[in-house]
Amino acid sequence: MDSPILENIFREIQLDTSAERAIYLQLSDAILLLIKKGNLRSGQKLISSRDLAKLVGINRITVSKAFEELQMQGWLESFVGKGTFVSSHIPEVEPTKLQQDTINKGQKIAGFSLNEKEYLSNPYFVPNVTYHLDDGYPDPKLAPLKELYRAYRNQLTRSGIYQKFGSYGSPDGSEFYKQALSRYLNDSRGLNTTEENILSIRGTLMGINLVCTALIKPGDVVVSGIPGWQRAEHNFLHAKANHIGIPVDEHGLVIDKLKKICKQKKVRMVYVTPHHHYPTTVSLRIDRRLELLRLANEYGFIIFEDDYDFDFHYAHRPLLPLASADENGMVIYCGSFSKSFSPAFRMGYLVASENVIKHLANVRMLLDRQGDHILDNAMAELLNDGTVQRYVRKALTIYEERRDYFCNLLSNELDEVVNFTIPDGGMTVWTKFDKRINLDVLSQKAYARGLYISDGKMHQYPTYNENAIRLGFASSSIEQLADSVHILKGLV
């Protein structure tokens, strides 16, 4: 043995034969850590592979492979007849005690500062309980998953393999998908589009972020309703926009407030969810819709229309989007299949004038070269063969039944502590609780009983707090809705 000190250093190395990582790589990792910590110096000779094999209890060939791995990376160098040495090109480091628990552990704290902002703190929570009155998600059991699977499989087995897998495609989406989506939107929403008006995106949030990145400059005025969707508002803040919130009443965004702002400031964009305002679910009345379009034409601001659940309207046919009446290219229309099928599928789209789509596609390439063309093409098949349309009709009937049943439950069981209006559409009931009820405490107690509900914090503002939350009914069965209300009744 060359040195008792080296012997003690190498004796502390521990290898795990049950781990997935190969033993020789574990050994090379351990030796590398010794070098980085300065326990093995530049130019220092290592003990022989035979002696090291005995010390750590493995065969000599494995040690040789570890040495070879580190030689290829430049950490070790070997000389015939002399042995293996730590590379002489490595700078000197003050030695520190080897701690085994630092091997293969991820770095927790970066050595550089972060440009942290309060709005970037977006904690998310994935509930793992039996019952859920969520933010308004669809029931994935109703989604045509088998049909989507078959369509996706077809994309993997049909001809044109190089075109699909051998190179990049268009950043705005596949032609096949955009053509199918254009026909679908024209037929179902009264839009007037071609495939050149469409950009495939990975959900609504990506669409908002992309528009903010491409079209909003620091200091630009962006207006939206209060209460609203804080994820969207955080994107406005991240773009360094001047965000102004205006009230929302039983008829939607109060357009008279917007008109006053337009007379005082140059508005760049108005973000609106006119079909079912988030979070209150109210629809923007027709006179306000027309006035919003008129103001956009007069003052030249963008209307970002977030139409997150167009398909689910129960009182009558869905109100056509603002984009269907837009004659001057003022509206950027955003939709998503995530709210129709499942949030797990990141499929959305932006619709706008051709030059806007080209600009957004160019900016998109800085972040995401392209979307998932294979998934888009699979969805195109479902649009073309009518699967999506049949699914929407089926789901609409079931969700309406669940809405009626759930609202009756709330009225009969919780009438003294909640106040709500039966929504014309959507998948949630905007529910105001008695002010004496602490929603944060209620959500914690409900979760302990196996029921997830929001704590309401995302709907609170310095100037607005109705002690209200969205109670989603679409993703639960009739029996689950009954059990959920029973749990709430027992708590309040």
Side-chain angles (χ1 to χ4, degrees):
M1 187 69 65
D2 292 51
S3 166
I5 296 177
L6 277 181
E7 178 182 353
N8 289 332
I9 289 176
F10 284 112
R11 198 186 300 278
E12 292 187 31
I13 293 176
Q14 298 176 17
L15 305 175
D16 185 2
T17 57
S18 64
E20 292 185 4
R21 191 163 176 79
I23 293 296
Y24 84 93
L25 291 177
Q26 292 184 46
L27 179 58
S28 66
D29 291 343
I31 296 173
L32 178 57
L33 187 62
L34 288 169
I35 297 172
K36 288 181 176 180
K37 287 182 170 292
N39 299 96
L40 294 176
R41 299 275 190 165
S42 175
Q44 185 172 5
K45 183 180 180 182
L46 302 187
I47 61 177
S48 68
S49 58
R50 178 182 289 107
D51 289 340
L52 181 53
K54 291 179 181 178
L55 273 178
V56 296
I58 58 177
N59 64 62
R60 184 181 177 184
I61 296 176
T62 302
V63 176
S64 297
K65 287 183 65 177
F67 282 2
E68 290 171 5
E69 176 71 19
L70 291 172
Q71 286 178 51
M72 288 193 305
Q73 296 181 28
W75 293 99
L76 298 181
E77 49 191 1
S78 181
F79 302 97
V80 177
K82 292 183 179 181
T84 301
F85 298 79
V86 178
S87 174
S88 58
H89 302 291
I90 298 172
E92 291 290 335
V93 179
E94 286 298 318
T96 59
K97 188 179 187 313
L98 174 65
Q99 296 179 357
Q100 183 65 32
D101 60 1
T102 63
I103 299 176
N104 292 332
K105 295 293 184 181
Q107 189 74 38
K108 294 186 181 299
I109 304 297
F112 52 84
S113 62
L114 303 180
N115 185 22
E116 295 181 283
K117 304 291 185 182
E118 185 177 354
Y119 64 83
L120 290 176
S121 178
N122 286 309
Y124 60 89
F125 177 69
V126 181
N128 185 23
V129 287
T130 303
Y131 304 106
H132 37 81
L133 300 176
D134 51 42
D135 196 48
Y137 303 143
D139 188 346
K141 294 190 293 293
L142 302 178
L145 300 182
K146 291 182 180 179
E147 292 84 349
L148 181 60
Y149 166 74
R150 283 197 293 268
Y152 195 91
R153 185 182 59 189
N154 288 342
Q155 290 297 314
L156 301 179
T157 56
R158 288 179 180 171
S159 59
I161 295 298
Y162 179 79
Q163 286 73 16
K164 292 177 182 177
F165 301 104
S167 62
Y168 289 109
S170 171
D172 53 358
S174 76
E175 290 299 312
F176 182 51
Y177 172 65
K178 291 187 297 179
Q179 290 168 2
L181 185 57
S182 174
R183 289 191 295 269
Y184 175 71
L185 295 177
N186 293 347
D187 292 343
S188 64
R189 289 154 171 77
L191 302 189
N192 183 24
T193 69
T194 70
E195 63 269 21
E196 302 300 323
N197 297 118
I198 292 172
L199 173 68
S200 174
I201 55 175
R202 299 178 188 271
T204 302
L205 265 181
M206 179 180 180
I208 295 171
N209 183 272
L210 183 58
V211 167
C212 285
T213 300
L215 299 172
I216 303 299
K217 300 191 301 291
D220 280 351
V221 174
V222 176
V223 179
S224 68
I226 300 295
W229 189 25
Q230 289 191 1
R231 293 286 190 264
E233 294 160 8
H234 293 168
N235 269 283
F236 308 150
L237 292 175
H238 196 61
K240 296 182 173 60
N242 176 16
H243 175 234
I244 300 176
I246 60 177
V248 174
D249 61 19
E250 67 273 18
H251 302 301
L253 199 67
V254 180
I255 302 300
D256 284 342
K257 295 289 186 181
L258 173 63
K259 188 185 303 184
K260 291 180 180 178
I261 294 172
C262 288
K263 291 178 180 180
Q264 300 169 355
K265 301 175 182 291
K266 174 63 176 176
V267 175
R268 175 58 171 167
M269 186 170 77
V270 174
Y271 170 82
V272 62
T273 50
H275 196 214
H276 304 127
H277 174 74
Y278 185 95
T280 66
T281 75
V282 298
S283 297
L284 188 61
R285 200 170 59 189
I286 183 62
D287 58 322
R288 297 188 183 185
R289 289 169 176 256
L290 296 175
E291 181 64 5
L292 177 58
L293 286 168
R294 190 191 71 78
L295 289 174
N297 292 328
E298 179 180 351
Y299 292 100
F301 59 75
I302 302 164
I303 298 176
F304 188 104
E305 182 176 13
D306 180 356
D307 203 2
Y308 62 95
D309 61 358
F310 172 87
D311 293 312
F312 304 111
H313 201 79
Y314 313 114
H316 43 71
R317 288 186 61 194
L319 299 171
L320 291 180
L322 294 168
S324 68
D326 176 28
E327 297 178 351
N328 298 306
M330 307 307 297
V331 178
I332 298 176
Y333 180 78
C334 183
S336 171
F337 289 109
S338 300
K339 280 289 187 182
S340 300
F341 280 36
S342 163
F345 295 111
R346 308 311 302 157
M347 292 180 291
Y349 46 87
L350 290 174
V351 180
S353 300
E354 290 184 17
N355 66 325
V356 174
I357 293 299
K358 289 179 181 178
H359 178 60
L360 293 176
N362 288 334
V363 175
R364 185 247 183 89
M365 289 185 69
L366 301 176
L367 172 68
D368 182 24
R369 174 57 179 78
Q370 66 182 59
D372 186 343
H373 284 202
I374 304 301
L375 182 59
D376 285 351
N377 286 338
M379 177 58 67
E381 288 193 25
L382 301 191
L383 290 169
N384 288 337
D385 68 15
T387 296
V388 172
Q389 295 85 332
R390 290 189 295 272
Y391 157 72
V392 168
R393 289 195 294 269
K394 174 185 175 182
L396 183 65
T397 301
I398 294 174
Y399 291 162
E400 182 176 11
E401 179 187 5
R402 292 178 182 178
R403 180 205 62 171
D404 294 343
Y405 182 78
F406 182 59
C407 288
N408 284 332
L409 279 175
L410 291 178
S411 295
N412 295 333
E413 304 297 332
L414 298 172
D415 183 54
E416 295 183 1
V417 294
V418 301
N419 180 33
F420 66 93
T421 299
I422 298 175
D424 289 338
M427 303 186 217
T428 64
V429 178
W430 177 242
T431 310
K432 299 179 181 179
F433 282 75
D434 189 292
K435 294 288 187 179
R436 294 170 295 178
I437 295 176
N438 186 315
L439 291 177
D440 190 13
V441 173
L442 179 62
S443 67
Q444 294 178 38
K445 290 183 177 180
Y447 197 79
R449 294 279 302 275
L451 168 65
Y452 169 74
I453 61 171
S454 168
D455 59 13
K457 293 178 181 177
M458 68 173 63
H459 308 310
Q460 297 173 6
Y461 294 79
T463 59
Y464 180 94
N465 183 5
E466 291 291 327
N467 206 42
I469 56 177
R470 286 162 61 90
L471 297 178
F473 55 81
S475 60
S476 300
S477 66
I478 293 294
E479 293 76 19
Q480 289 172 328
L481 290 172
D483 290 343
S484 298
V485 173
H486 178 73
I487 291 172
L488 276 182
K489 183 179 180 180
L491 293 174
V492 302

